[in-house]
Amino acid sequence: MFFQSVMIITLISIWLSLAMSLTTLGGATHFWLKNSTKIAQITPLPVYPKVTIVIPAHNEEIVIAQTLEAILKLNYPTDKVEILLYADNCNDQTAAEMHKVLNKPEYMHRNAQVIERTGEGGKAGVLNDALKVAQGEYIGVYDADAMPEKNALYFLVKKTIENPEEYMAAFGRNKTRNAKQIFLTKCINQEIVVTHRIQHCAVWHMFKIGRIPGTNFIINREFAKSIGGWRNGALTEDTDISFKIMQSGKLIALAYNSEAFQQEPETLHDYYFQRLRWAKGNYQVVIHNFKNLFNRSNWRVKLETFYITCTFLLFNTAIILSDLIFITNVGFMVANLFNPSIMMPFSFGSNNVLIMQVLLINWILMIVLYMLQNSLAMSTQFGQATTGQIWLSFASYFTYAQLFIVVSVHAVISVCLDAIFRRNGNIWVKTKRFD
């Protein structure tokens, strides 16, 4: 009975995951059929609200200069931009690199200041400090490695002023700067493209649900103050504040033409601990907001809680259990060749062949859907819908995607141990940067 229950749970998890993925894929397809032929026009805005751009940087001497130059060259009136550069608890030359760029003759007149911070709270602490001193109507955030395209801020502001009473924040998309470096960064690039071109576009198009990413977004300053700003020390401060905004009944609008280029990890160690931090942070947010499924929270909060719960729990459960059942049954089938009395544990009666066929079909469906999702995402990118990307998608399912399952399991165990032993689970591991 136990083994049959596990099989039923596995099959339900797989089919719910497939249904959710197909829904997202359908929404994204409809979005791009409507928008892919539209030409982005850069026309004067009816109003240019002042924007305070905040750049949190912890030991970012390698990448900060390029990012700062890109921000200083944004296509937005310079008198409407305030730049706050935070060298947060740095022990390298981050602040010196910031000053070096600002001291160039063409930038000396700009409204920018370098703040060498020694406070606590991590990135969220920096953003809360900035919230106290910012002069702009909106606060824009760019990570130290995220170089915005010159019209990125223009598109973010354009989206918010479409409906300033409802759109309290707007976010763009992030692209991988080092996408072609190695197999790992190629896989990360596909993941990032799927996240921004499929998932974000689909949920905004169907439900008007937006998710603030870690970089390339703006938020109304007074509104951010009214909801208490960011939660100090949060591992995923972006997801955390997204729920706060939705809980208030306001919207986070998608400005899909706004782009920034971020650097991704180039070693397994850096990738693993970056994604572990993200996974832990998202699990913490899920646990904190799970009650919203059963209280009187607005429907977008409920739907987003359900979506994230499915993404980080249901999908991973389906993969782990299906792998476990398949491998276990294969092992017992081999043993049966030597000892016919040994039966497969995961079966319904004597119909073992049927069970293996059902699991095999589920496996194939998951692989096909994974590749279809990646292919659709890459087709929205100029020059990336290639045969090589299809083969990369196939290879990444059996390597990169499985590694994420390991990360997720590690994150669940870590979050549980943090709670049991009351230890601080919000410790960051610095991601290494490259020239």
Side-chain angles (χ1 to χ4, degrees), residues 18 44 53 58 60 69 131 152 174 204 263 296 328 394:
L18 289 172
I53 295 178
H58 172 63
E60 299 283 6
E69 292 241 17
L131 195 58
N174 300 314
W204 171 254
Q263 189 181 88
R296 294 187 177 183
T328 301
F394 182 75

Side-chain angles (χ1 to χ4, degrees), residues 148-163:
E149 188 270 333
K150 69 176 182 178
N151 293 308
L153 182 59
Y154 167 89
F155 285 120
L156 291 173
V157 172
K158 183 178 181 181
K159 191 65 185 179
T160 56
I161 63 177
E162 283 181 10
N163 189 353

Side-chain angles (χ1 to χ4, degrees), residues 54-58 84-89 115-134 139 141 143 228-238 240-241 244 426 428:
V54 182
I55 311 173
H58 172 63
L84 300 179
L85 295 142
Y86 282 86
D88 182 33
N89 293 284
I115 301 153
E116 297 191 49
R117 180 178 182 271
T118 56
E120 299 179 347
K123 181 180 175 182
V126 169
L127 297 177
N128 285 326
D129 284 359
L131 195 58
K132 299 172 185 176
V133 299
I139 289 181
V141 179
D143 286 344
W230 287 262
R231 182 164 61 88
N232 277 351
L235 291 176
T236 49
E237 79 296 326
D238 44 4
D240 190 73
I241 200 170
K244 281 187 175 183
N426 296 335
W428 286 50

Side-chain angles (χ1 to χ4, degrees), residues 338-378:
F338 301 95
N339 185 351
S341 65
I342 296 177
M343 304 298 294
M344 287 196 304
F346 295 102
S347 63
F348 290 110
S350 60
N351 205 348
N352 297 332
V353 175
L354 178 60
I355 295 303
M356 294 298 289
Q357 288 174 343
V358 170
L359 288 172
L360 181 61
I361 290 171
N362 283 333
W363 259 30
I364 293 173
L365 282 174
M366 293 180 76
I367 295 170
V368 169
L369 192 57
Y370 179 86
M371 294 179 64
L372 182 61
Q373 186 174 250
N374 284 356
S375 297
L376 176 63
M378 302 314 285

Side-chain angles (χ1 to χ4, degrees), residues 65-66 68-70 72-73 96-110:
Q66 283 183 310
L68 180 53
E69 292 241 17
L72 289 164
K73 293 176 181 177
E97 291 294 323
M98 292 172 173
H99 284 296
K100 189 183 299 183
V101 174
L102 294 178
N103 286 335
K104 291 182 178 181
E106 62 267 38
Y107 302 132
M108 291 184 71
H109 68 288
R110 296 297 298 271

